[in-house]
mmCIF file of all heavy atoms in Angstrom:
data_model
loop_
_atom_site.group_PDB
_atom_site.id
_atom_site.type_symbol
_atom_site.label_atom_id
_atom_site.label_comp_id
_atom_site.label_asym_id
_atom_site.label_seq_id
_atom_site.Cartn_x
_atom_site.Cartn_y
_atom_site.Cartn_z
ATOM 1 N N ARG A 706 103.558 147.128 72.951
ATOM 2 C CA ARG A 706 104.954 146.741 73.229
ATOM 3 C C ARG A 706 105.055 145.519 74.129
ATOM 4 O O ARG A 706 106.141 144.998 74.348
ATOM 5 C CB ARG A 706 105.680 147.903 73.900
ATOM 6 C CG ARG A 706 105.694 149.152 73.051
ATOM 7 C CD ARG A 706 106.535 150.237 73.655
ATOM 8 N NE ARG A 706 106.335 150.402 75.090
ATOM 9 C CZ ARG A 706 106.244 151.553 75.702
ATOM 10 N NH1 ARG A 706 106.319 152.662 75.027
ATOM 11 N NH2 ARG A 706 106.079 151.616 77.003
ATOM 12 N N TYR A 707 103.919 145.058 74.681
ATOM 13 C CA TYR A 707 103.946 143.982 75.679
ATOM 14 C C TYR A 707 103.224 142.729 75.207
ATOM 15 O O TYR A 707 102.804 141.919 76.012
ATOM 16 C CB TYR A 707 103.335 144.489 76.998
ATOM 17 C CG TYR A 707 104.073 145.693 77.512
ATOM 18 C CD1 TYR A 707 103.532 146.961 77.368
ATOM 19 C CD2 TYR A 707 105.326 145.560 78.089
ATOM 20 C CE1 TYR A 707 104.221 148.084 77.814
ATOM 21 C CE2 TYR A 707 106.014 146.666 78.540
ATOM 22 C CZ TYR A 707 105.463 147.933 78.393
ATOM 23 O OH TYR A 707 106.145 149.028 78.829
ATOM 24 N N ARG A 708 103.126 142.539 73.916
ATOM 25 C CA ARG A 708 102.448 141.363 73.370
ATOM 26 C C ARG A 708 103.278 140.111 73.609
ATOM 27 O O ARG A 708 104.510 140.162 73.669
ATOM 28 C CB ARG A 708 102.182 141.558 71.887
ATOM 29 C CG ARG A 708 101.163 142.668 71.681
ATOM 30 C CD ARG A 708 100.644 142.722 70.259
ATOM 31 N NE ARG A 708 99.461 143.558 70.230
ATOM 32 C CZ ARG A 708 98.242 143.139 70.500
ATOM 33 N NH1 ARG A 708 98.018 141.888 70.811
ATOM 34 N NH2 ARG A 708 97.220 143.959 70.464
ATOM 35 N N ASP A 709 102.581 138.969 73.733
ATOM 36 C CA ASP A 709 103.282 137.699 73.946
ATOM 37 C C ASP A 709 103.884 137.203 72.624
ATOM 38 O O ASP A 709 103.755 137.859 71.585
ATOM 39 C CB ASP A 709 102.361 136.660 74.588
ATOM 40 C CG ASP A 709 101.175 136.287 73.723
ATOM 41 O OD1 ASP A 709 101.227 136.439 72.487
ATOM 42 O OD2 ASP A 709 100.164 135.826 74.298
ATOM 43 N N SER A 710 104.529 136.052 72.644
ATOM 44 C CA SER A 710 105.229 135.536 71.466
ATOM 45 C C SER A 710 104.276 135.244 70.306
ATOM 46 O O SER A 710 104.705 135.214 69.156
ATOM 47 C CB SER A 710 106.027 134.287 71.827
ATOM 48 O OG SER A 710 105.163 133.280 72.322
ATOM 49 N N ASP A 711 102.988 135.042 70.602
ATOM 50 C CA ASP A 711 101.992 134.824 69.551
ATOM 51 C C ASP A 711 101.356 136.136 69.086
ATOM 52 O O ASP A 711 100.450 136.122 68.258
ATOM 53 C CB ASP A 711 100.882 133.892 70.056
ATOM 54 C CG ASP A 711 101.389 132.491 70.345
ATOM 55 O OD1 ASP A 711 102.326 132.038 69.651
ATOM 56 O OD2 ASP A 711 100.858 131.847 71.268
ATOM 57 N N GLY A 712 101.790 137.243 69.637
ATOM 58 C CA GLY A 712 101.256 138.545 69.260
ATOM 59 C C GLY A 712 99.997 138.948 69.996
ATOM 60 O O GLY A 712 99.366 139.943 69.665
ATOM 61 N N GLY A 713 99.614 138.195 71.023
ATOM 62 C CA GLY A 713 98.390 138.498 71.761
ATOM 63 C C GLY A 713 98.648 139.238 73.060
ATOM 64 O O GLY A 713 99.788 139.340 73.530
ATOM 65 N N LEU A 714 97.566 139.772 73.593
ATOM 66 C CA LEU A 714 97.561 140.388 74.929
ATOM 67 C C LEU A 714 96.463 139.709 75.718
ATOM 68 O O LEU A 714 95.333 139.621 75.254
ATOM 69 C CB LEU A 714 97.255 141.878 74.854
ATOM 70 C CG LEU A 714 98.349 142.800 74.385
ATOM 71 C CD1 LEU A 714 97.798 144.186 74.111
ATOM 72 C CD2 LEU A 714 99.443 142.871 75.423
ATOM 73 N N SER A 715 96.772 139.245 76.904
ATOM 74 C CA SER A 715 95.768 138.508 77.664
ATOM 75 C C SER A 715 95.517 139.110 79.042
ATOM 76 O O SER A 715 96.445 139.349 79.811
ATOM 77 C CB SER A 715 96.190 137.046 77.834
ATOM 78 O OG SER A 715 95.201 136.343 78.546
ATOM 79 N N PHE A 716 94.232 139.317 79.291
ATOM 80 C CA PHE A 716 93.726 139.661 80.614
ATOM 81 C C PHE A 716 92.793 138.537 81.077
ATOM 82 O O PHE A 716 92.009 138.709 81.994
ATOM 83 C CB PHE A 716 92.956 140.990 80.578
ATOM 84 C CG PHE A 716 93.823 142.196 80.370
ATOM 85 C CD1 PHE A 716 94.180 142.593 79.087
ATOM 86 C CD2 PHE A 716 94.283 142.938 81.441
ATOM 87 C CE1 PHE A 716 94.972 143.711 78.885
ATOM 88 C CE2 PHE A 716 95.077 144.055 81.251
ATOM 89 C CZ PHE A 716 95.425 144.436 79.961
ATOM 90 N N THR A 717 92.861 137.392 80.424
ATOM 91 C CA THR A 717 91.961 136.275 80.681
ATOM 92 C C THR A 717 91.964 135.893 82.157
ATOM 93 O O THR A 717 93.022 135.628 82.733
ATOM 94 C CB THR A 717 92.356 135.050 79.832
ATOM 95 O OG1 THR A 717 92.309 135.421 78.463
ATOM 96 C CG2 THR A 717 91.418 133.887 80.074
ATOM 97 N N GLY A 718 90.771 135.885 82.747
ATOM 98 C CA GLY A 718 90.615 135.459 84.132
ATOM 99 C C GLY A 718 91.052 136.466 85.173
ATOM 100 O O GLY A 718 91.024 136.179 86.367
ATOM 101 N N TYR A 719 91.445 137.664 84.769
ATOM 102 C CA TYR A 719 91.842 138.694 85.736
ATOM 103 C C TYR A 719 90.601 139.209 86.458
ATOM 104 O O TYR A 719 89.526 139.310 85.878
ATOM 105 C CB TYR A 719 92.537 139.863 85.035
ATOM 106 C CG TYR A 719 93.989 139.614 84.695
ATOM 107 C CD1 TYR A 719 94.381 138.577 83.860
ATOM 108 C CD2 TYR A 719 94.978 140.452 85.201
ATOM 109 C CE1 TYR A 719 95.712 138.370 83.542
ATOM 110 C CE2 TYR A 719 96.315 140.255 84.885
ATOM 111 C CZ TYR A 719 96.675 139.211 84.052
ATOM 112 O OH TYR A 719 97.987 139.008 83.733
ATOM 113 N N ARG A 720 90.772 139.546 87.722
ATOM 114 C CA ARG A 720 89.724 140.186 88.513
ATOM 115 C C ARG A 720 90.164 141.619 88.807
ATOM 116 O O ARG A 720 91.342 141.870 89.032
ATOM 117 C CB ARG A 720 89.499 139.423 89.821
ATOM 118 C CG ARG A 720 88.965 138.020 89.616
ATOM 119 C CD ARG A 720 88.582 137.342 90.923
ATOM 120 N NE ARG A 720 89.660 137.261 91.901
ATOM 121 C CZ ARG A 720 90.518 136.246 92.005
ATOM 122 N NH1 ARG A 720 90.440 135.216 91.188
ATOM 123 N NH2 ARG A 720 91.457 136.247 92.936
ATOM 124 N N PHE A 721 89.195 142.531 88.828
ATOM 125 C CA PHE A 721 89.535 143.935 89.001
ATOM 126 C C PHE A 721 88.955 144.578 90.250
ATOM 127 O O PHE A 721 89.081 145.770 90.435
ATOM 128 C CB PHE A 721 89.129 144.732 87.753
ATOM 129 C CG PHE A 721 90.075 144.525 86.604
ATOM 130 C CD1 PHE A 721 89.846 143.526 85.676
ATOM 131 C CD2 PHE A 721 91.212 145.298 86.474
ATOM 132 C CE1 PHE A 721 90.716 143.312 84.626
ATOM 133 C CE2 PHE A 721 92.105 145.101 85.431
ATOM 134 C CZ PHE A 721 91.838 144.106 84.511
ATOM 135 N N GLY A 722 88.328 143.838 91.126
ATOM 136 C CA GLY A 722 87.807 144.429 92.359
ATOM 137 C C GLY A 722 86.646 145.371 92.080
ATOM 138 O O GLY A 722 86.078 145.380 90.995
ATOM 139 N N ASP A 723 86.301 146.194 93.074
ATOM 140 C CA ASP A 723 85.124 147.049 92.968
ATOM 141 C C ASP A 723 85.434 148.517 92.716
ATOM 142 O O ASP A 723 84.532 149.351 92.731
ATOM 143 C CB ASP A 723 84.259 146.913 94.223
ATOM 144 C CG ASP A 723 83.494 145.601 94.226
ATOM 145 O OD1 ASP A 723 83.033 145.177 93.149
ATOM 146 O OD2 ASP A 723 83.365 145.000 95.300
ATOM 147 N N GLY A 724 86.671 148.859 92.483
ATOM 148 C CA GLY A 724 87.003 150.233 92.130
ATOM 149 C C GLY A 724 86.782 150.474 90.645
ATOM 150 O O GLY A 724 86.374 149.581 89.896
ATOM 151 N N ASN A 725 87.057 151.686 90.201
ATOM 152 C CA ASN A 725 86.983 152.006 88.780
ATOM 153 C C ASN A 725 88.174 151.384 88.067
ATOM 154 O O ASN A 725 89.265 151.273 88.629
ATOM 155 C CB ASN A 725 86.993 153.516 88.563
ATOM 156 C CG ASN A 725 85.757 154.178 89.113
ATOM 157 O OD1 ASN A 725 84.683 153.597 89.139
ATOM 158 N ND2 ASN A 725 85.908 155.412 89.572
ATOM 159 N N VAL A 726 87.959 151.016 86.802
ATOM 160 C CA VAL A 726 89.022 150.462 85.965
ATOM 161 C C VAL A 726 89.126 151.363 84.749
ATOM 162 O O VAL A 726 88.165 151.515 83.997
ATOM 163 C CB VAL A 726 88.720 149.007 85.546
ATOM 164 C CG1 VAL A 726 89.849 148.463 84.698
ATOM 165 C CG2 VAL A 726 88.489 148.137 86.776
ATOM 166 N N ASP A 727 90.299 151.962 84.544
ATOM 167 C CA ASP A 727 90.469 153.004 83.537
ATOM 168 C C ASP A 727 91.487 152.585 82.478
ATOM 169 O O ASP A 727 92.673 152.453 82.769
ATOM 170 C CB ASP A 727 90.917 154.281 84.238
ATOM 171 C CG ASP A 727 91.050 155.464 83.302
ATOM 172 O OD1 ASP A 727 90.758 155.338 82.097
ATOM 173 O OD2 ASP A 727 91.452 156.536 83.790
ATOM 174 N N PHE A 728 90.994 152.381 81.252
ATOM 175 C CA PHE A 728 91.853 152.111 80.093
ATOM 176 C C PHE A 728 91.818 153.310 79.143
ATOM 177 O O PHE A 728 92.088 153.172 77.960
ATOM 178 C CB PHE A 728 91.377 150.854 79.351
ATOM 179 C CG PHE A 728 91.707 149.557 80.035
ATOM 180 C CD1 PHE A 728 90.797 148.975 80.905
ATOM 181 C CD2 PHE A 728 92.909 148.916 79.809
ATOM 182 C CE1 PHE A 728 91.086 147.770 81.535
ATOM 183 C CE2 PHE A 728 93.210 147.712 80.436
ATOM 184 C CZ PHE A 728 92.298 147.140 81.297
ATOM 185 N N ASN A 729 91.483 154.487 79.630
ATOM 186 C CA ASN A 729 91.355 155.683 78.810
ATOM 187 C C ASN A 729 92.610 155.933 77.976
ATOM 188 O O ASN A 729 93.724 155.996 78.502
ATOM 189 C CB ASN A 729 91.080 156.892 79.712
ATOM 190 C CG ASN A 729 90.844 158.159 78.929
ATOM 191 O OD1 ASN A 729 90.185 158.141 77.898
ATOM 192 N ND2 ASN A 729 91.388 159.256 79.416
ATOM 193 N N GLY A 730 92.434 156.054 76.650
ATOM 194 C CA GLY A 730 93.540 156.393 75.767
ATOM 195 C C GLY A 730 94.572 155.306 75.571
ATOM 196 O O GLY A 730 95.644 155.559 75.022
ATOM 197 N N VAL A 731 94.279 154.079 75.971
ATOM 198 C CA VAL A 731 95.223 152.976 75.816
ATOM 199 C C VAL A 731 95.326 152.580 74.345
ATOM 200 O O VAL A 731 94.346 152.611 73.605
ATOM 201 C CB VAL A 731 94.787 151.760 76.669
ATOM 202 C CG1 VAL A 731 95.472 150.482 76.245
ATOM 203 C CG2 VAL A 731 95.054 152.039 78.135
ATOM 204 N N ILE A 732 96.521 152.223 73.930
ATOM 205 C CA ILE A 732 96.757 151.689 72.592
ATOM 206 C C ILE A 732 97.064 150.206 72.740
ATOM 207 O O ILE A 732 98.029 149.825 73.405
ATOM 208 C CB ILE A 732 97.941 152.405 71.909
ATOM 209 C CG1 ILE A 732 97.630 153.889 71.755
ATOM 210 C CG2 ILE A 732 98.254 151.747 70.561
ATOM 211 C CD1 ILE A 732 98.824 154.720 71.324
ATOM 212 N N PHE A 733 96.208 149.371 72.139
ATOM 213 C CA PHE A 733 96.446 147.932 72.183
ATOM 214 C C PHE A 733 97.188 147.447 70.944
ATOM 215 O O PHE A 733 97.852 146.421 70.982
ATOM 216 C CB PHE A 733 95.127 147.171 72.348
ATOM 217 C CG PHE A 733 94.568 147.255 73.735
ATOM 218 C CD1 PHE A 733 93.467 148.050 74.008
ATOM 219 C CD2 PHE A 733 95.140 146.558 74.783
ATOM 220 C CE1 PHE A 733 92.939 148.126 75.285
ATOM 221 C CE2 PHE A 733 94.630 146.642 76.072
ATOM 222 C CZ PHE A 733 93.528 147.426 76.313
#
């Protein structure tokens, strides 16, 4: 539901620190 005008999703260049990163069950 959050795609850009070109239909893409971008996390380009994002940093996530040293904790856990959880995308469990995500629908892209």
Side-chain angles (χ1 to χ4, degrees):
R706 301 186 316 222
Y707 302 103
R708 293 192 166 275
D709 63 24
S710 60
D711 294 328
L714 284 169
S715 181
F716 289 85
T717 301
Y719 280 60
R720 295 187 303 269
F721 284 91
D723 285 322
N725 294 329
V726 181
D727 183 2
F728 285 92
N729 184 40
V731 163
I732 299 170
F733 285 106

